[in-house]
Amino acid sequence: MPAYFSMEMEFSRAELDFDNMKELYHYLKYAGLEFKSGAFSAENDTIEDILEWNQKKLEKDFVLGEDEHYENGYKQMYFSFGGFSEVRGILFNQDPVEREYLFELIVPEDEVTADGVTYKKEAVEKLKALATILWVLPKMRTLQTELENGKGITPEAEIKEGKAPAACPFAIVSEKQFGNMDTSAYNAEHINAGGVILMPKNIKLA
């Protein structure tokens, strides 16, 4: 399998209700992602089947055990977007910390960057536009990006204490979180719904 770039959306389980998955999919669709199929064992499932399965798993606070078969876990989805050869959606519960969950969109890393410092401008602009729309999703806490060899995203609670988010090549945090950060290493762009897109100044676009 190729290395993947990931765009990770952080949510709090404290805001979990009966339609989180349907709401998330509504915004994904509005942002231009077209559902193609389920992934792996879910390849023949409808989007409704997948959303219902994942919603029930989240409500039960399910975490896949180390020795448990992957088919018992959250179902993944393939989407069409922006001309990328693969766009896959993945759900993680109790991640990056307890009482949180992540929804992650991944695309092949070599379609976004060649070396982890220089990024492909057209791909980044598509992903930033997508992230800007998704940020409007009311329950989202942060939106962070990383490469295959990344160390994971920074939990919202740690960003509030001043720790840097994962931004390879950008992140979105709230205006309030932004005010607690040392932002000297970033170019900042204020967007709708009280968000700020941060891009490290050492990032190069080509």
Side-chain angles (χ1 to χ4, degrees):
M1 296 181 69
Y4 287 99
F5 160 90
S6 60
M7 186 163 72
E8 305 185 34
M9 291 154 265
E10 180 184 9
F11 300 90
S12 170
R13 287 191 55 83
E15 296 181 300
L16 184 64
D17 57 29
F18 69 94
D19 66 349
N20 287 65
M21 291 298 95
K22 288 182 179 179
E23 182 180 53
L24 173 62
Y25 177 65
H26 171 80
Y27 278 86
L28 292 171
K29 188 175 181 179
Y30 177 75
L33 276 79
E34 181 180 347
F35 175 74
K36 293 174 63 177
S37 71
F40 309 114
S41 62
E43 63 181 349
N44 295 318
D45 290 4
T46 67
I47 184 60
E48 292 79 13
D49 292 336
I50 294 170
L51 296 176
E52 182 179 4
W53 173 278
N54 287 344
Q55 180 71 35
K56 289 179 178 178
K57 289 283 186 180
L58 267 185
E59 290 174 1
K60 292 178 180 178
D61 202 11
F62 177 82
V63 178
L64 189 70
E66 291 184 6
D67 299 324
E68 196 168 357
H69 197 280
Y70 77 91
E71 290 187 3
N72 294 327
Y74 295 93
K75 295 186 177 182
Q76 301 181 24
M77 296 157 276
Y78 284 119
F79 297 97
S80 175
F81 175 77
F84 294 105
S85 64
E86 180 184 348
V87 181
R88 182 154 38 104
I90 310 172
L91 193 64
F92 298 94
N93 187 33
Q94 298 290 356
D95 196 355
V97 292
E98 290 185 6
R99 298 196 57 74
E100 292 191 351
Y101 65 95
L102 292 175
F103 183 75
E104 177 179 274
L105 288 172
I106 65 173
V107 302
E109 186 175 293
D110 63 4
E111 296 180 23
V112 180
T113 181
D115 57 12
V117 176
T118 301
Y119 287 76
K120 299 179 181 182
K121 184 176 181 179
E122 183 179 358
V124 170
E125 291 304 317
K126 289 177 182 177
L127 293 166
K128 278 180 63 181
L130 171 62
T132 299
I133 296 173
L134 293 177
W135 177 254
V136 179
L137 185 61
K139 298 180 177 68
M140 194 182 304
R141 317 303 285 184
T142 68
L143 186 150
Q144 302 177 53
T145 58
E146 62 175 349
L147 303 179
E148 181 80 15
N149 62 355
K151 297 181 180 180
I153 71 167
T154 304
E156 178 195 24
E158 294 182 16
I159 294 175
K160 288 180 177 178
E161 296 173 355
K163 190 172 180 180
C168 299
F170 64 85
I172 304 181
V173 299
S174 69
E175 295 269 6
K176 186 175 181 179
Q177 294 161 352
F178 178 71
N180 293 328
M181 294 175 55
D182 176 1
T183 59
S184 59
Y186 300 95
N187 292 313
E189 176 186 350
H190 294 257
I191 60 173
N192 291 336
V196 184
I197 297 182
L198 301 172
M199 181 172 286
K201 290 180 179 179
N202 67 337
I203 293 293
K204 299 177 183 178
L205 300 178

